[in-house]
Amino acid sequence: MTELIRDVDSLRAKLALARERGRRVGVVPTMGALHRGHLALLEEARKRAQVVVVTVFVNPTQFGPNEDFSKYPRTLEKDLEACRAAGADYVFSPEATTEIYPPGDETRVRVPETGKHLEGAFRPHHFEGVATVCLKLFQIVGPAVAVFGRKDYQQLQLITRMVRDLFLPIEIVGHPTIREEDGLALSSRNAYLSPEERARARAIPAGLGAAVRAYDAGERRVSSLIAAAREPIAAAATSIDYVAIADPATVAPYPDDAVIDRAVLAVAVRVGTTRLIDNVVLGEGATV
Ligand code: AMP
C-alpha cells in the first residue's frame, strides 16, 4: 500500500521507525507527471531498498523567472496511482512554502564547477536549486540509496559530486534513459509538444544516433562528432542551445579541435517553445 504524505515531520517519523527496524530506505526524487522513465527508477530503487519513497515536488528554486514553473504538469492523483501499481511505500508531495522553503529559509547549495557548464550556462540558478532541494530531501528521507536518471546527465554528475563532497552516506545510482519507440527520451515536458512538434523531436535521438554511428566507425574528433549530431537536429529544431561533447565526470565541454575517447554528447534544443535535453555517453557501447 502506498501512502501519500505531505508534511516533513510525518515522513521523518515513519522513516525513522523503518530505519530502526533495520530497513534500507531508497528515494526517487521527481517533479511528478510520472512516466515510464520515472517508474523504471522506482523499480531500480525497489531492488536496492526495502522501503521506497518517491518524492513529487515541482521545485520552484530550480526554475528561472521566464521558465515553465507555473505551467509544469501537476498530476498528483495519477502519480499516486502509478506509484501504487509500481509498489512504492510512500509518495512525499510537500508544499513549497510551508514545508520545503518555509519563511526565513535562505541556505543554498552550490556545486560551482559541475554546475556551470551546459545547462548551467543557460539556466543560471538551476543547479543551485537542484542541489539544494536534493540535499533537503536527503535530510528529510535519510536514504541509503537514491536513484536518478541519466536522462539528466549533468544533474546526476552534480548530485554524485555533492554527495561525495559533503560525505553524505548515500549511494547514488544512475539509471539508463528510457525512450519512446522512435528514440525520443521520455520527459514530462513532452506533453507540451503538438503532434507536429512531437514528430520533429525525433531529430534529437536521430542526431545522437548519428554521432554514435560516427564514433563506432572510428571518428574521434569533437568537431566531426558534433557535426554529425547537429545535422538532423538543426533541420528540425526551432533553435539549439547547445550540442556539446564534454568530460563525462565534470561535463566541461571539450574544444572543437579535441580528440576524445570516452565523453558525453549532450544536447539542449527547443522544438516550438518546448525545451528538451538529451545525451548519450560515447565510448561505452550505448545505443540511442
Ligand atoms: P523529473 O521529474 O523530470 O525531474 O525527473 C525525475 C527523475 O527521473 C530524474 O532523476 C530524471 O533524470 C529521471 N528521468 C526523467 N526522464 C527519464 C527517462 N526518460 N529515463 C530515465 N530517467 C528519467
Side-chain angles (χ1 to χ4, degrees), residues 28-41 55-57 62 72 147-153 155-156 173 175-180 184-190 277-278:
V28 180
T30 82
M31 296 205 301
L34 300 183
H35 50 62
R36 278 191 295 117
H38 298 113
L39 298 178
L41 308 190
T55 68
V56 173
F57 180 62
Q62 73 187 67
Y72 197 86
V147 185
F148 289 85
R150 294 181 81 174
K151 155 82 167 46
D152 297 275
Y153 185 89
Q155 168 174 283
L156 172 63
V173 174
H175 191 283
T177 302
I178 305 296
R179 298 178 178 281
E180 301 277 13
L184 183 66
L186 293 186
S187 164
S188 306
R189 290 188 168 99
N190 292 351
I277 61 171
D278 201 350

